[in-house]
Amino acid sequence: MNYIYDLHNAMMAQNLIIVYQGEFTQETTKSILAMAERNLDSSGEESGIKRKVFNVMVESLQNIVKHSSEANAAAGNLTSQSAIFMIGKQADRYSIMTGNPIKKSVTADLKRKLDELNQLDKEGLKEMYKEIIKNTQISEKGGAGLGFVDMARKSGEKLEFDFPEMNAEYNFFCLKVNVPREA
């Protein structure tokens, strides 16, 4: 039973205000967003900051839903409970953190894209966003690669990420997006 107290202490130490681990569907996404919106509203946060945090949350959750369903189908539902979503609130920023299984075969390409994205400044991100909208078809998954670009633009900071190994076929894609609390 000590794990409950240990988990509570870990959450307090990391300033986590919302944590959800489990199956990610459109319905759970709606519930998480509603809970986060109530939390942001009750905190009296400035509307511009709330908008940015909410936007990053939507993109992050959509990413998990899209890739978890793909991984579940490929792995025979092995990964349906493996994704996690967290929000931390510090004095100077909100941190939106996600983790979900991804196939090792796509890890190198994703890392390369995220590294390239992190090399861009504000103007470079804006140009990349316009370029993707102008030249890319919407994929079967519903996106055109805009999600990470949009998160980087909204946060104004570099995306933090890692890919710890889960097993022979999957890595665990960890993503942290910080949104400053000053406009």
Side-chain angles (χ1 to χ4, degrees), residues 120-129 149:
L120 299 174
D121 61 7
K122 187 176 181 177
E123 193 57 38
L125 289 169
K126 184 178 177 181
E127 287 304 312
M128 180 182 271
Y129 188 85
V149 177

Side-chain angles (χ1 to χ4, degrees), residues 45-53 179 183:
E45 195 63 68
E46 181 186 317
S47 65
I49 304 302
K50 285 194 292 192
R51 240 187 338 273
K52 288 178 182 179
V53 169
V179 177

Side-chain angles (χ1 to χ4, degrees), residues 141-158:
K141 288 186 191 176
L146 287 174
F148 292 122
V149 177
D150 201 33
M151 285 190 269
R153 288 182 71 204
K154 294 293 189 262
S155 74
E157 297 189 12
K158 305 296 181 205

Side-chain angles (χ1 to χ4, degrees), residues 9-54:
N9 284 339
M11 289 177 61
M12 295 295 288
Q14 295 296 317
N15 297 307
L16 298 177
I17 55 176
I18 295 176
V19 175
Y20 176 80
Q21 186 272 322
E23 187 173 4
F24 283 79
T25 63
Q26 292 298 338
E27 285 305 311
T28 54
T29 296
K30 287 179 194 174
S31 297
I32 292 167
L33 290 171
M35 186 175 12
E37 188 172 31
R38 282 192 301 273
N39 191 305
L40 289 168
D41 285 343
S42 68
S43 72
E45 195 63 68
E46 181 186 317
S47 65
I49 304 302
K50 285 194 292 192
R51 240 187 338 273
K52 288 178 182 179
V53 169
F54 200 75

